[in-house]
Amino acid sequence: MTHSNSGSSSRAVVPDLPDALPIAVVDNHTHLDIEREGHPVDVADALAKARAVGVDRVVQIGCDLPGARQTVEMIDTYAAMLGGVALHPNEVPGLAESGSLVAAYAEIETLAAHPRVRVVGETGLDYYRTGPEGRDVQHESFRWHIDLAKRLGKALQIHDRDAHDDVLRILEEEGAPNSTVLHCFSGDLQMAQTCAERGYYLSFAGTVTFKNAHGLRDALSVTPLDRLLVETDAPYLTPHPHRGAINAPHLIPLTVRAMAATLGVAVPTLCQALSENSERVYGPW
C-alpha cells in the first residue's frame, strides 16, 4: 500500500476498460478491501472487468488486521484471487505503543497459514510516514515477517518507502526467502541491478507510467524479464493518463504496455514473462 494524492472529487471515479492484453497476466498486488473516497469495491465486478481485459488473476493484500481477515474471506470466495497478509510498517508503531503487537503477530501467523495465502506482506520499512522514533520497531517487525515467510514457505512482499539501504541491509542480514518481491518498486537503476543479482523480483506499478518517472523507467530497463512482476496497488497509483482517479485491476494493461515500450519488447512477450513469473512466485491459482 503506497498512498498518493487522490486528486479532486471529479477524478474519484474508476476509468473505463482499456484495450485487452493478448496474454493474461496477474495483478500481483491489489487492495480490494480498501474503500477510497466513499467508493466501496464490488469485488466480483472488479474481477470480471479485470478478466475482460486479460487480467485473470490477482493477489489481494491485507496489510492490517481487519484487511488480513477480509483477505482470507475473499480468497475463500473467489478462485481468481490468492492472498497476502501482514502488518504494514506504518501500522506497527501504533500496535507496539498500545501493547497489542505480540497478539497481532500471532493472528497474522494464523491467517498466513491458510493454503491460499501465498504471501507474507506487505511488510518492510516506511520512513516517509513514520519518523525516526518508529524505526526500531519497524525493523523488528520486518525481521519477524521475513522469518515467518521462511518458516511457512511463502513469498515475501516488501513495502519500501524512503528506506532502500536499510531494506537491502536487513534482507541480507536475515537471509531473504526464496521468493522475495519488492512491491511498487521505487528504487534507482543501481538498486534494481542489486535486487536482480540477489534474485529478487521487482513489481512495477502505475508510477512507472508517470511522465516524470525517468529514474524508475531506467530501473525497469535493467531488470531481467524473469524478475519482473506488475501490479496496481489499487485503489492507489493509477497509471497515466488517469492519474488521480481510483485505480482497479482492469487498468493493468496501461502499465504493461508502458513497461513493454520501456523494455523494447513485444507486449505478448512481456505478458508471457509476467504470467510465468507470477506462477513461479505464488504457485498455481
Side-chain angles (χ1 to χ4, degrees):
M1 178 172 61
T2 305
H3 297 284
S4 63
N5 292 333
S6 58
S8 66
S9 59
S10 65
R11 302 298 302 281
V13 296
V14 180
D16 292 337
L17 275 61
D19 292 340
L21 294 170
I23 296 172
V25 303
V26 174
D27 181 351
N28 154 82
H29 186 111
T30 192
H31 301 280
L32 297 180
D33 59 304
I34 293 179
E35 177 179 316
R36 182 171 162 193
E37 303 202 12
H39 293 259
V41 179
D42 180 330
V43 176
D45 181 63
L47 294 175
K49 287 178 176 175
R51 188 167 56 249
V53 298
V55 184
D56 64 349
R57 292 150 292 165
V58 305
V59 181
Q60 156 64 29
I61 301 295
C63 53
D64 55 18
L65 288 178
R69 295 169 191 143
Q70 192 172 346
T71 292
V72 170
E73 292 174 3
M74 286 194 282
I75 61 178
D76 279 335
T77 303
Y78 301 104
M81 182 183 290
L82 295 177
V85 299
L87 302 175
H88 190 282
N90 288 329
E91 294 288 318
V92 172
L95 290 168
E97 188 174 348
S98 68
S100 54
L101 182 56
V102 172
Y105 283 153
E107 183 170 356
I108 289 295
E109 182 158 356
T110 298
L111 293 170
H114 188 293
R116 289 182 59 77
V117 171
R118 305 285 176 78
V119 176
V120 172
E122 61 192 280
T123 180
L125 303 176
D126 189 314
Y127 294 169
Y128 179 77
R129 292 188 181 276
T130 297
E133 70 284 351
R135 290 183 183 181
D136 286 348
V137 72
Q138 281 196 358
H139 291 185
E140 171 200 305
S141 176
F142 187 23
R143 294 178 193 275
W144 181 87
H145 283 88
I146 292 170
D147 177 69
L148 179 64
K150 291 194 289 189
R151 285 191 284 114
L152 297 180
K154 311 273 182 171
L156 182 76
Q157 281 202 16
I158 296 169
H159 171 100
D160 164 25
R161 189 161 189 189
D162 295 350
H164 304 323
D165 290 344
D166 282 348
V167 163
L168 292 176
R169 175 180 59 80
I170 289 172
L171 283 171
E172 188 81 349
E173 290 173 356
E174 296 296 316
N178 289 335
S179 293
T180 294
V181 178
L182 275 293
H183 131 72
C184 188
F185 184 75
S186 60
D188 59 12
L189 183 151
Q190 184 175 2
M191 183 178 179
Q193 290 175 323
T194 298
C195 289
E197 289 166 2
R198 293 186 183 183
Y200 306 159
Y201 292 84
L202 306 188
S203 180
F204 287 86
T207 44
V208 78
T209 73
F210 295 172
K211 292 180 179 179
N212 62 347
H214 305 295
L216 198 53
R217 286 187 286 275
D218 289 343
L220 170 61
S221 71
V222 299
T223 305
L225 278 180
D226 66 356
R227 296 292 113 184
L228 282 174
L229 297 167
V230 67
E231 66 176 83
T232 53
D233 201 18
Y236 311 106
L237 303 183
T238 313
H240 177 80
H242 303 295
R243 186 175 182 180
I246 296 174
N247 205 0
H250 71 255
L251 296 177
I252 280 278
L254 298 172
T255 303
V256 170
R257 289 191 166 95
M259 290 171 65
T262 295
L263 290 163
V265 301
V267 172
T269 301
L270 179 57
C271 290
Q272 188 68 37
L274 292 168
S275 183
E276 291 174 357
N277 296 346
S278 297
E279 296 226 356
R280 191 183 313 120
V281 172
Y282 306 117
W285 263 246

